[in-house]
Amino acid sequence: MSEESKEIGVQFKNIKETLFSNKLSDDIVNDFNHDNLELGLAFSLKGFPNEKSVALSLTIFYKYKIENKYKEFFKFTTETLFKFESTYDNVIKIEDSKVFVADELMGTLLSISIGATRGMMSYKVSNLPIDLVLPLFDISKLLPNLTK
């Protein structure tokens, strides 16, 4: 495959918040220690074949360990919409609402979505009495089949 055939025209159309939940309690604030904090990340794709678009839903959640049990206290979900000039069967395929994306492209979409979510989240948590930061992620650990 030539380098030229690997190029895909994609637009970052928009990002929107779809869920925000903050149940930060006094017991977490009073006992706060970063060692007891656990960060979680989940993502999914939804395809829109008629629009040649893909929506990447990204959820960030934090849990805090109290008395050897983790209690979820923060959840933030965004949906990032990407529009493709065209689809290529070897890189992306949209069938009904199912999406098949090559790992390399998925890594790019995920990186963009995480970065945009980080900015939105930083605004949401700026007034919290504890420090919640969305760190940088090694995308290859999120997508184990990603080749370097």
Side-chain angles (χ1 to χ4, degrees):
M1 178 186 310
S2 71
E3 287 299 314
E4 196 174 312
S5 65
K6 288 185 178 183
E7 292 182 20
I8 273 194
V10 62
Q11 287 181 332
F12 171 97
K13 291 298 284 183
N14 66 45
I15 184 168
K16 65 182 177 182
E17 172 186 322
T18 58
L19 179 118
F20 177 67
S21 174
N22 177 10
K23 298 177 184 172
L24 185 61
S25 58
D26 288 340
D27 57 339
I28 294 172
V29 172
N30 294 335
D31 180 54
F32 191 72
N33 179 336
H34 279 281
D35 293 337
N36 293 332
L37 191 63
E38 182 178 289
L39 166 66
L41 181 143
F43 60 93
S44 63
L45 285 174
K46 183 169 42 174
F48 304 97
N50 294 339
E51 293 86 28
K52 293 184 181 175
S53 298
V54 171
L56 192 152
S57 179
L58 178 70
T59 300
I60 305 297
F61 57 91
Y62 286 92
K63 296 179 181 181
Y64 194 77
K65 188 176 181 180
I66 299 175
E67 297 175 5
N68 291 324
K69 290 184 182 178
Y70 279 95
K71 172 184 174 183
E72 184 179 285
F73 69 92
F74 181 90
K75 190 180 246 182
F76 186 55
T77 302
T78 60
E79 185 177 86
T80 309
L81 185 65
F82 297 95
K83 182 169 176 62
F84 294 87
E85 290 177 12
S86 59
T87 57
Y88 300 91
D89 288 341
N90 61 336
V91 182
I92 182 167
K93 188 180 230 180
I94 304 170
E95 295 175 353
D96 300 319
S97 63
K98 295 178 184 173
V99 181
F100 305 92
V101 179
D103 286 342
E104 191 173 298
L105 177 60
M106 187 62 208
T108 300
L109 300 180
L110 195 53
S111 291
I112 293 167
S113 185
I114 289 171
T117 298
R118 180 179 294 109
M120 292 175 71
M121 192 181 121
S122 67
Y123 176 76
K124 290 289 207 183
V125 302
S126 63
N127 291 323
L128 292 181
I130 63 172
D131 188 27
L132 289 182
V133 177
L134 187 56
L136 297 175
F137 290 94
D138 180 351
I139 298 299
S140 67
K141 292 191 183 203
L142 297 175
L143 300 171
N145 293 329
L146 187 64
T147 57
K148 294 183 180 184

